[in-house]
C-alpha cells in the first residue's frame, strides 16, 4: 500500500489525528463497522484532510488500541497493527479484517451497538442489517431459511421443464432437497418459494448469471422467463 495515495476517508479507510483513549467509541465504531463488513483500516496520526500529523508515541498507541479493543469489543475482531514512517512522521495503521462471527459489537457506556460502514461513515446497524449480520455469523443466508409453505401445496413445472431442457435429464423431486429448495420437514425455503410456479413471495425477483469466462466482466445475462406470479427467473 502506498500511504501517500490515501487522499480521503472512504468506505475502507478512516483517519484519526490522535487516539482518543477516553472516548473509544469515536474510533471503535469504525472497528465494528469494518469487522461487520468487508474490512478496512484506521490510520492514526492523519487528519480528516489526509494530512500526516504523526504520533508522539507509537508504542503507547499500539498498547492502548489493544487494551480498548479487549475491553469494548465483543466478539474480538481480527486486527493487525502496522506502524509506518512517512517523511519522519510516525503513524499507526489499525487493519481490521472482515469478520466471520458477526455481529461485532461496541460494548460500553451501557450500550451494545453493532455498526456498519455507509460511505465514509460508521453508523448503527438497522434492524434489517442486524438480521443479515446474525445470519452471516451463523453461516446462514436468507434464501436458506424455511418458510411456512408446504411443498405439497406448490408445483415446480417451470423449473422441471427448464432443468430437463438444459441438462437433458429427467427432473426428480429429490432435487428440491439437494438444491436447498425444501427442508427435511417438507417446508419450502425462501429460495424454494421463489422457484415455485405460483411464487407466494410478492415483489420478489430471482436472477441467475452465467459466466462465459473466469472474470465477472465476462458475465452475460440470459433470457428471462416470467412465471405466473411476480417472480422472474433467468434461464440457465
Amino acid at each position: 500500500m502506498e500511504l501517500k495515495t490515501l487522499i480521503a476517508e472512504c468506505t475502507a479507510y478512516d483517519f484519526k489525528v490522535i487516539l482518543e483513549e477516553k472516548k473509544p467509541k469515536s474510533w471503535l465504531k469504525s472497528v465494528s463497522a469494518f469487522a461487520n463488513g468487508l474490512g478496512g483500516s484506521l490510520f492514526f496520526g492523519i487528519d480528516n484532510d489526509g494530512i500526516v500529523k504523526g504520533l508522539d508515541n507509537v508504542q503507547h498507541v499500539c498498547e492502548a488500541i489493544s487494551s480498548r479493543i479487549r475491553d469494548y469489543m465483543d466478539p474480538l475482531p481480527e486486527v493487525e497493527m502496522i506502524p509506518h514512517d512517512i517523511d519522519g512522521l510516525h503513524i499507526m495503521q489499525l487493519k481490521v479484517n472482515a469478520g466471520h462471527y458477526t455481529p461485532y459489537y461496541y460494548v460500553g457506556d451501557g450500550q451494545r451497538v453493532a455498526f456498519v460502514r455507509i460511505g465514509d461513515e460508521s453508523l448503527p446497524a438497522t434492524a434489517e442489517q442486524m438480521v443479515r449480520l446474525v445470519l452471516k455469523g451463523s453461516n446462514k443466508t436468507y434464501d436458506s431459511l424455511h418458510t411456512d409453505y408446504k411443498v405439497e401445496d406448490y408445483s415446480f413445472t417451470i423449473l422441471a421443464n427448464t432443468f430437463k431442457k438444459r441438462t437433458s435429464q429427467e427432473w426428480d423431486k429429490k432435487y428440491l432437497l439437494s438444491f436447498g429448495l425444501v427442508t427435511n420437514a417438507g417446508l419450502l425455503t425462501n429460495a424454494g418459494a421463489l422457484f415455485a410456479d405460483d411464487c407466494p413471495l410478492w415483489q420478489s425477483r430471482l436472477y441467475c448469471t452465467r459466466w462465459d469466462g473466469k472474470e465477472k466482466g465476462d458475465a452475460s445475462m440470459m433470457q428471462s422467463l416470467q412465471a405466473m406470479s411476480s417472480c422472474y427467473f433467468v434461464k440457465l
Side-chain angles (χ1 to χ4, degrees):
M1 177 188 297
E2 179 55 55
L3 295 179
K4 292 182 179 180
T5 64
L6 302 178
I7 61 175
E9 292 181 306
C10 60
T11 303
Y13 303 135
D14 207 351
F15 298 154
K16 301 293 179 183
V17 67
I18 62 172
L19 174 68
E20 295 187 273
E21 296 184 51
K22 295 183 179 180
K23 297 180 180 179
K25 183 181 178 181
S26 66
W27 54 275
L28 281 176
K29 63 182 182 181
S30 292
V31 175
S32 168
F34 288 146
N36 284 327
L38 301 176
S41 290
L42 289 91
F43 293 89
F44 294 93
I46 302 180
D47 68 16
N48 291 336
D49 296 321
I51 299 175
V52 177
K53 298 295 185 178
L55 299 169
D56 294 332
N57 190 333
V58 174
Q59 184 61 48
H60 174 75
V61 168
C62 181
E63 293 171 356
I65 289 174
S66 296
S67 174
R68 299 305 186 277
I69 288 178
R70 288 196 305 269
D71 293 342
Y72 294 100
M73 292 296 300
D74 182 38
L76 294 179
E78 184 177 326
V79 302
E80 180 180 1
M81 283 176 280
I82 309 170
H84 297 279
D85 185 305
I86 302 179
D87 299 329
L89 296 174
H90 297 161
I91 69 169
M92 175 63 70
Q93 176 187 359
L94 175 58
K95 182 179 180 181
V96 183
N97 294 329
H100 300 291
Y101 305 104
T102 57
Y104 289 84
Y105 294 94
Y106 165 78
V107 182
D109 309 317
Q111 305 176 57
R112 184 178 178 84
V113 186
F115 290 85
V116 294
R117 196 71 174 168
I118 306 295
D120 62 349
E121 296 184 284
S122 298
L123 302 175
T126 64
E128 179 183 352
Q129 289 167 332
M130 282 299 299
V131 170
R132 294 182 183 277
L133 289 173
V134 170
L135 291 175
K136 176 184 175 183
S138 58
N139 292 317
K140 293 180 180 180
T141 63
Y142 176 79
D143 290 344
S144 68
L145 298 180
H146 72 79
T147 68
D148 293 327
Y149 305 117
K150 297 180 180 179
V151 64
E152 60 263 27
D153 295 332
Y154 293 88
S155 61
F156 295 85
T157 305
I158 296 174
L159 175 62
N161 291 339
T162 303
F163 178 86
K164 182 178 180 180
K165 181 179 180 181
R166 294 294 180 180
T167 66
S168 299
Q169 298 180 40
E170 292 295 330
W171 172 258
D172 193 310
K173 288 185 178 180
K174 67 180 181 181
Y175 293 147
L176 292 174
L177 181 61
S178 62
F179 290 166
L181 303 181
V182 300
T183 67
N184 288 319
L187 297 175
L188 297 183
T189 61
N190 284 317
L194 284 171
F195 273 105
D197 292 338
D198 295 304
C199 175
L201 303 179
W202 297 101
Q203 297 181 343
S204 297
R205 292 185 176 185
L206 173 67
Y207 292 101
C208 297
T209 306
R210 186 181 71 183
W211 279 265
D212 296 325
K214 295 183 179 180
E215 303 295 332
K216 287 187 177 180
D218 298 326
S220 59
M221 188 65 71
M222 306 300 289
Q223 180 182 1
S224 63
L225 175 65
Q226 182 176 359
M228 294 180 65
S229 66
S230 62
C231 299
Y232 293 82
F233 302 91
V234 176
K235 290 184 179 180
L236 295 176

